[in-house]
Amino acid sequence: MPELAALDVLSPGSPGYEASPRARLVVRCHSVSDVVQVLSYADATGARIMPRGGGHCFVDRCPADGIVVDLSGLNRITVDDSGVATVGAGARLGAVYAALHASGRTIPAGCGDTVGIAGLTLGGGIGLLGRQYGLTCDRLVGAQAVLADRSVVECDEHSEADLFWALRGAGGGQFGIVTELRFATVPEPSVCRIEGNWPEGNLVPAWQDWAPDAPDGMTVNLTVQPRRITLFGASTLHPAETEGLLRDFAARAGVLYAIGIRRDVPYSMVKPTFRGTDQAGTRRRVRSEFFARPVSERTTGELLQRLTGNRRLAFTAMGGAYRRTAEDATAFAHRGQRFLLEETGDPDDPWVDEAWHAAHAEGSGRVYPNFPDLALEDPATAYYAGNHARLAALKKSYDPDRVFDFPQAL
Ligand SMILES: Cc1cc2nc3c(=O)[nH]c(=O)nc-3n(C[C@H](O)[C@H](O)[C@H](O)COP(=O)(O)OP(=O)(O)OC[C@H]3O[C@@H](n4cnc5c(N)ncnc54)[C@H](O)[C@@H]3O)c2cc1C
């Protein structure tokens, strides 16, 4: 039996352990050889494995009595002269943005500075620079992974190209344990930080018609809560052009121009200001779907009518660079969608399902793999659409014994 004694096994009761209550063991890895050793131990004991980066997954994917491989000890970040960043799979977004900022570089990635770079990238990665530069996974140029057979592989466009394809958008924990990610960074832009707030008003129809078709340099999302509607985002366009577009939007929506623009903010400084309230540990239920066309006024009215308490609708603009990559060029299959709609509420609030079903009648049936939803009837089609057959074949070849197995895995 392989020894665990030399490894950093977390004790029951520690915060890292409590996050995965169904786990048999939680092992914090500090090197690739630690990861290989945990896989050997799992093989000898027949345990299933769940890798963990930032620990932000919406559902507990740890198999009952499984082993959590916590990668937080692998968090080194370097940037070379050609602008390629090598990022340990345990790094969190806040640390990634800060390290890249020091080199005048960045990547298009999400909000939430404790979100793990690995989980985010493996499922796609939607963020405020995405309409200009694409998904986080679109900037991935290579990765290192430990496979189920304990081999350590490097993958990119030329080597293990199928694995590299699958790692860009299928969602984490399916093909192996990624230990390192390499990104082609972009120069960090100075942006206009955008935020507008209104106590009431029907901004949804105007936003749906406008935000997904805005110039690529502008990403403006919308959240609707009881008595608070917030428009927020960032723009790399000239401030005067940014303001002109926002004034046009306010006029279309029929609301007063109540939008603040803060100019010349480094992109990495804008992200933390939109952290929101859904930090790890906040218990909320989230359901979501992509939309290829606007939700009708009738359905929008139905959604808004019962928006009380902790209920929230969040609209995220797609379009731009997201759709300039073919749907089968990477595993992320939702390139042609106009926006993502999330319905969020307290864990036991039936409104989340009711609202999801009401909107679903007009939705595309596509669901973002980074927003897993255990209530989906056909998760394979929802997450992977036309890429499912290729992904299922790759799962069989890379993980034939389903060492990486969880509800809704491929
Ligand atoms: C507060 C908050 C803000 C968010 N903001 C955004 C956003 O702006 N844009 C966006 O696109 N998404 C966003 N998300 C969703 C986020 O992308 C997913 O929750 C993502 O899966 C989190 O990754 P993680 O590493 O933190 O989580 P984890 O729970 O650690 O991992 C998520 C999944 O990936 C697997 N995984 C993790 N690390 C590895 C690895 N090294 N190798 C293989 N598999 C691995 C895990 O097994 C799990 O299945 C947000 C989520 C939260 C909670």
Side-chain angles (χ1 to χ4, degrees):
M1 171 85 66
E3 283 291 330
L4 280 180
L7 295 174
D8 186 1
V9 179
L10 302 191
S11 31
S14 68
Y17 200 100
E18 294 304 310
S20 300
R22 299 195 304 169
R24 173 196 303 194
L25 273 178
V26 179
V27 184
R28 182 170 295 146
C29 292
H30 300 269
S31 66
V32 177
S33 83
D34 283 1
V35 175
V36 174
Q37 277 190 66
V38 184
L39 279 169
S40 299
Y41 180 83
D43 183 46
T45 56
R48 306 262 163 244
I49 288 279
M50 189 196 82
R52 185 169 73 195
H56 273 287
C57 192
F58 288 0
V59 297
D60 180 6
R61 282 174 156 178
C62 183
D65 213 24
I67 298 179
V68 172
V69 177
D70 179 310
L71 293 148
S72 57
L74 284 160
N75 58 0
R76 201 160 168 259
I77 304 163
T78 57
V79 187
D80 72 15
D81 291 344
S82 67
V84 171
T86 301
V87 181
R92 312 283 185 117
L93 273 188
V96 174
Y97 285 128
L100 299 188
H101 171 73
S103 302
R105 314 290 299 179
T106 198
I107 49 173
C111 300
D113 60 4
T114 57
V115 168
I117 187 68
L120 179 93
T121 306
L122 299 176
I126 296 170
L128 295 179
L129 278 188
R131 300 188 68 257
Q132 184 159 0
Y133 291 113
L135 297 164
T136 313
C137 73
D138 293 337
R139 304 305 302 177
L140 192 71
V141 291
Q144 181 187 65
V146 184
L147 303 180
D149 64 5
R150 302 191 290 285
S151 58
V152 181
V153 297
E154 302 286 337
C155 67
D156 57 28
E157 282 287 1
H158 309 291
S159 152
E160 298 281 352
D162 275 342
L163 177 65
F164 184 57
W165 177 84
L167 293 185
R168 287 174 292 158
Q174 313 254 25
F175 299 100
I177 301 182
V178 173
T179 45
E180 195 171 86
L181 301 146
R182 288 186 298 284
F183 295 99
T185 61
V186 299
E188 182 181 15
S190 278
V191 301
C192 292
R193 179 194 186 278
I194 299 164
E195 182 169 349
N197 286 290
W198 295 265
E200 59 187 6
N202 186 8
L203 285 88
V204 174
W207 181 91
Q208 291 184 122
D209 284 341
W210 172 79
D213 298 319
D216 295 358
M218 179 185 265
T219 295
V220 181
N221 300 329
L222 186 73
T223 61
V224 189
Q225 293 163 280
R227 291 175 299 286
R228 188 178 172 91
I229 302 162
T230 304
L231 187 80
F232 70 97
S235 167
T236 59
L237 306 175
H238 189 278
E241 188 183 356
T242 301
E243 185 176 336
L245 288 161
L246 292 169
R247 284 194 180 278
D248 179 42
F249 167 73
R252 281 173 183 232
V255 292
L256 280 177
Y257 182 77
I259 304 175
I261 299 178
R262 208 183 325 145
R263 299 171 175 215
D264 293 331
V265 188
Y267 172 66
S268 58
M269 309 287 167
V270 165
K271 311 290 299 183
T273 67
F274 292 132
R275 233 173 262 161
T277 52
D278 290 348
Q279 298 299 303
T282 308
R283 295 220 324 124
R284 289 274 189 276
R285 177 140 186 265
V286 184
R287 299 202 68 187
S288 69
E289 188 168 343
F290 284 111
F291 286 74
R293 58 191 169 90
V295 180
S296 66
E297 294 241 15
R298 189 182 56 79
T299 302
T300 305
E302 213 178 310
L303 294 175
L304 297 178
Q305 201 178 23
R306 296 187 51 218
L307 201 67
T308 54
N310 287 327
R311 297 169 180 171
R312 190 182 71 168
L313 297 169
F315 295 81
T316 299
M318 299 294 288
Y322 294 125
R323 62 186 314 152
R324 283 198 292 276
T325 299
E327 290 208 334
D328 61 358
T330 72
F332 185 87
H334 314 296
R335 302 286 182 170
Q337 302 298 309
R338 285 181 65 77
F339 62 90
L340 175 67
L341 170 59
E342 290 164 67
E343 296 91 4
T344 304
D346 290 331
D348 53 357
D349 185 349
W351 173 85
V352 177
D353 282 317
E354 289 159 13
W356 186 87
H357 280 288
H360 174 60
E362 298 174 19
S364 66
R366 308 286 190 93
V367 174
Y368 182 26
N370 268 349
F371 290 179
D373 179 349
L374 296 179
L376 292 174
E377 276 175 24
D378 180 3
T381 305
Y383 297 140
Y384 311 119
N387 289 337
H388 178 250
R390 183 173 174 193
L391 283 168
L394 289 174
K395 175 74 177 171
K396 273 202 183 110
S397 114
Y398 278 98
D399 184 17
D401 299 325
R402 303 192 72 85
V403 172
F404 307 104
D405 204 9
F406 54 79
Q408 296 186 340
L410 274 160

